[in-house]
Structure formats: C-alpha cells, structure tokens
Amino acid sequence: MPDIGEHRLILIGPQGSGKGTQGELLQVYLQIPTISTGQLCRAEIEKGTDIGKSIEGFVHDGALVPDAIVIALLKERIREYDAQEGFIIDGFPRTVEQARDAEGWLHPTKVIVIEISKKLAIDRMSARRACSQCRYKTTASNVGLHGSQCPRCPGKLIQRDDDRPEAIQKRLDMYSAVTEPVVEYYKQTGLAERFNGSLSIPLVFMEIAHVL
Ligand code: AMP
C-alpha cells in the first residue's frame, strides 16, 4: 500500500500525452484527488463567475491564463478537505515563473513527466472527444458507438474548443516554449521522473506506480 500522506505530485506532459488518464488512475491508486488547473478554469467559465468571464478568452484561444488567477484558484482548491492528505496536480506549473512561485506553497514530492512526440500529440488530440459536463474523454472513433451521448452522465460528447487544430498547434508550441523549461527546472531539483507516453496506458501507469 502506498504511503498516502506523502504524495504531492505534479504531472507534466504535452496535451495528448495521457497525463489526464494517468491522473485518474493515480487518484484511485493513491486515494488522493487529481486537481486539473484547466478544469478549475473551465469550471469558473461554466459558472459564469467574474473570474470566469475574465479568463474565457484565454482558455478559448489556448493561451495561458494570468499567473495570479491560476495560482489563486489552485491555492484555494488545495486548501479543501479532500486534498489534505495529498494531491496530484495536472496542468500546473506551466511556466518557470509558476514553478518558482509554487516553491513557497506547493512543496511537490515528485514531478512525473510524460513524454511523447509532437506528431503523436497532434494525432491523439485531433481525435479526442470530451464530455461537455463531466471529465469523460474518448476518441472520435468511439463516438460512433455512443452517438454523441456521454456514457457516464447526461452530457454530450463534443470536440473541445481548444482541441481544434489551430488551438492544438498553439498549445503545443506553448508547451515547447514555456513548459519544457519547467521540466529542466525540476530535473535540476532532482524531483523529475520521466516516462515514455507512447506506451500503452497500463504500462505507463505501472512504471509510474513503481517509482512512487
Ligand atoms: P488544460 O486542460 O490543462 O489543457 O488547460 C486548458 C486551459 O486552461 C489552458 O489552455 C489555459 O488557458 C488554462 N490553464 C490551465 N492551467 C494553466 C496554468 N497553469 N497557467 C495558465 N493557464 C492555464
């Protein structure tokens, strides 16, 4: 049994690397929540809050939301009851500035880096369909099986705005430019563990579980 209270994990990988899926698996394995900053941003937009209105344009365009807003949303989320024994963060830090800021309050125990080629990332993301209401994701080829109905909730399976080809390209360029330096940053601190994301989901999971 893993030592539950010890895990404050950060998941890093380009969109399409499978980090969302690995986050869901790790959440069950370690019994701690996966917290996605993208999801926190989308929730504000869906609720129509003032913050949501101010960040809608950035998220729609695949651009980074201002640091102060993402940091405030994440700090608030990790104060919640279910995160007191640990958490898995997906989507943060995206820049070295965010990583530096996080040193004072996030205290990660490990940074899990999932690597894949740009081509595989684009292929996977163009084929991705997501539920409009829950976190369910599948591929376009499976949407034929379910129609456009989510199999888990009353939501509909759609192509997310930021999974359109123009937005994908922008997000991947942004990943190379601003997030790869974050990987370098964590390599220097000795916290980074790298995994080959082109392997199958269970294999990647087993390799991650092995280092925890
Ligand atoms: P994701 O679901 O992680 O791909 O995030 C979706 C969108 O949320 C991103 O394209 C950004 O607009 C915003 N976002 C998520 N995390 C961050 C972050 N750490 N810094 C800035 N913007 C973020």
Side-chain angles (χ1 to χ4, degrees):
M1 188 62 195
D3 188 1
I4 285 169
E6 298 290 307
H7 297 291
R8 292 182 302 279
L9 307 179
I10 291 176
L11 279 173
I12 301 187
Q15 289 76 18
S17 63
K19 73 178 154 59
T21 305
Q22 295 300 332
E24 287 188 9
L25 295 171
L26 286 167
Q27 164 168 292
V28 175
Y29 179 60
L30 298 171
Q31 293 289 293
I32 52 178
T34 294
I35 299 171
S36 147
T37 46
Q39 195 77 24
L40 294 178
C41 291
R42 283 189 291 277
E44 291 297 313
I45 296 170
E46 276 156 30
K47 283 188 277 179
T49 62
D50 287 344
I51 290 179
K53 285 180 192 132
S54 72
I55 63 177
E56 200 162 8
F58 296 101
V59 175
H60 179 273
D61 293 345
L64 288 183
V65 166
D67 285 355
I69 297 180
V70 180
I71 288 170
L73 288 174
L74 184 55
K75 278 186 174 170
E76 192 180 312
R77 178 65 186 86
I78 63 173
R79 275 199 295 269
E80 283 177 31
Y81 179 75
D82 67 336
Q84 298 317 302
E85 302 222 313
F87 45 74
I88 304 153
I89 309 282
D90 174 358
F92 181 94
R94 286 271 228 283
T95 64
V96 172
E97 288 68 34
Q98 291 182 358
R100 288 213 182 95
D101 191 284
E103 265 187 20
W105 52 273
L106 195 61
H107 310 298
T109 49
K110 256 192 193 16
V111 177
I112 295 166
V113 182
I114 308 184
E115 298 173 320
I116 54 165
S117 69
K118 205 164 186 173
K119 180 178 180 319
L120 185 56
I122 291 175
D123 288 352
R124 284 184 177 172
M125 283 166 76
S126 330
R128 185 156 86 173
R129 297 295 177 271
C131 177
S132 55
Q133 289 182 24
C134 74
R135 296 184 59 184
Y136 181 77
K137 282 186 203 133
T138 188
T139 59
S141 55
N142 285 340
V143 169
L145 293 176
H146 307 306
S148 63
Q149 177 63 52
C150 176
R152 287 197 195 160
C153 80
K156 297 267 174 266
L157 298 175
I158 51 160
Q159 180 167 46
R160 249 168 52 183
D161 250 5
D162 52 359
D163 282 344
R164 286 172 294 114
E166 318 83 78
I168 293 174
Q169 192 59 51
K170 197 161 174 179
R171 289 158 87 205
L172 287 175
D173 288 348
M174 178 110 61
Y175 182 85
S176 308
V178 296
T179 308
E180 269 168 15
V182 176
V183 175
E184 288 306 314
Y185 177 90
Y186 283 123
K187 271 190 210 162
Q188 281 165 24
T189 64
L191 288 176
E193 299 274 357
R194 294 155 70 200
F195 300 91
N196 176 358
S198 65
L199 299 177
S200 69
I201 292 169
L203 263 184
V204 177
F205 176 69
M206 276 165 54
E207 296 203 345
I208 295 174
H210 185 71
V211 304
L212 293 177

